[in-house]
Amino acid sequence: MRREPPKSLADHAPLLFPATMLIVFFVLPFGTMIAVSFFKRQQGGFYTPDFVFDNYGRFLSAFFGGVLGFSLMLAIMVSICCVVLALPFTYLLTRMARSAQVVWLVALLSILSLSEVIIGFAWSTLFSRTAGITNVLVALGLMEQAEALTPSFGAVLTGMVYQAFPYTVLVLYPALVRLDPTLTEAARTLGASPLKAFFTVVVPALRNTIVATLVMVFIFALGSYLLPQLLGRPQHWTLSVLITDQAIYQSNMPFAAAMAVFLVLVTLGLVALTVLVGRRGEAA
């Protein structure tokens, strides 16, 4: 059915509420942050309105470039791990009985009720030497002595994947439920194995959903603040940690705003690039 184009101002009325929310909760705060990023910092933690590029010049250094690169790499790894784990899990979940699906979904939703602090300290305990999972491996004879697995990059990655995994499943679940099961049955009838039917039928059919999920988890992981501090070393801290350090502990709000603006622009650029690549893939 063809949609008629709006012909009067009244036809644009449904857009008024979302446009107002976008302006109030994104455009105005982001505009304020951009303005503050050009302010000049004074001694004692104060800053005066100005238009200088010193904050951006300081940010474009090897140290902060390395932190930005690590933050992007960590967010990409978290998004890939979540989709690789959640896609087959959700596919098998949708093939279960309705009652079993409800139980699993309730269990996943219960994880969302946990705060980042609880998740961080729980994984810190599990990765510790005295009460961690390495003691179980020692008891099973797989290790000679218990070791501490935190702080480390693996601990940070595990904690962030655990935190983002329920969101990934909840995004993939509606698309997999709506997927026509006769497609995989037809592939099986033609001789494809279950694994080949999954990769040749299910994955291509959900390409747009998978790309959207990757983008969502990437943005979610890029803003992670507490888990890198609890489970990692200082070299594993993300740019969000440094922004908070500059804004709260160093009282350098203009520099923190410059880093935040740069991080938002990089995120928007990567999202736009992902959408563009996805559209070209559809057209091909």
Side-chain angles (χ1 to χ4, degrees), residues 53-271:
F53 292 89
D54 296 350
N55 300 308
Y56 289 95
R58 181 185 174 190
F59 177 61
L60 297 176
S61 63
F63 172 74
F64 288 104
V67 176
L68 176 63
F70 174 79
S71 302
L72 295 174
M73 182 270 294
L74 180 62
I76 291 173
M77 290 190 66
V78 170
S79 58
I80 292 176
C81 289
C82 283
V83 171
V84 169
L85 294 174
L87 186 58
F89 172 83
T90 313
Y91 176 72
L92 295 176
L93 178 65
T94 57
R95 295 299 180 266
M96 295 180 179
R98 192 67 179 173
S99 57
Q101 293 185 31
V102 173
V103 172
W104 277 103
L105 290 175
V106 170
L108 287 170
L109 290 174
S110 66
I111 297 176
L112 300 181
S113 65
L114 301 177
S115 70
E116 194 173 1
V117 177
I118 295 176
I119 293 174
F121 280 110
W123 279 108
S124 179
T125 303
L126 287 173
F127 286 145
S128 66
R129 184 177 63 84
T130 55
I133 56 177
T134 55
N135 292 278
V136 178
L137 299 178
V138 172
L140 295 175
L142 300 177
M143 292 182 65
E144 294 184 357
Q145 60 181 4
E147 297 179 0
L149 301 178
T150 184
S152 66
F153 175 76
V156 175
L157 182 64
T158 303
M160 293 178 65
V161 169
Y162 174 83
Q163 186 187 25
F165 183 78
Y167 296 100
T168 312
V169 173
L170 293 179
V171 172
L172 293 173
Y173 181 78
L176 281 166
V177 166
R178 291 194 301 267
L179 185 67
D180 189 356
T182 59
L183 296 175
T184 54
E185 293 175 2
R188 295 293 307 279
T189 304
L190 294 174
S193 64
L195 192 62
K196 188 174 182 180
F198 177 79
F199 283 105
T200 56
V201 176
V202 177
V203 174
L206 298 176
R207 182 175 57 190
N208 291 338
T209 304
I210 293 173
V211 172
T213 308
L214 282 169
V215 172
M216 186 208 70
V217 179
F218 171 79
I219 296 174
F220 178 80
L222 196 59
S224 182
Y225 161 71
L226 202 55
L227 290 180
Q229 290 189 89
L230 293 176
L231 301 175
R233 302 179 187 277
Q235 59 265 32
H236 302 138
W237 288 0
T238 59
L239 194 60
S240 300
V241 178
L242 297 185
I243 292 173
T244 306
D245 177 72
Q246 290 293 326
I248 297 179
Y249 301 108
Q250 306 297 327
S251 300
N252 194 348
M253 189 64 73
F255 185 42
M259 288 194 292
V261 169
F262 194 83
L263 185 62
V264 171
L265 294 179
V266 170
T267 304
L268 293 177
L270 290 175
V271 172

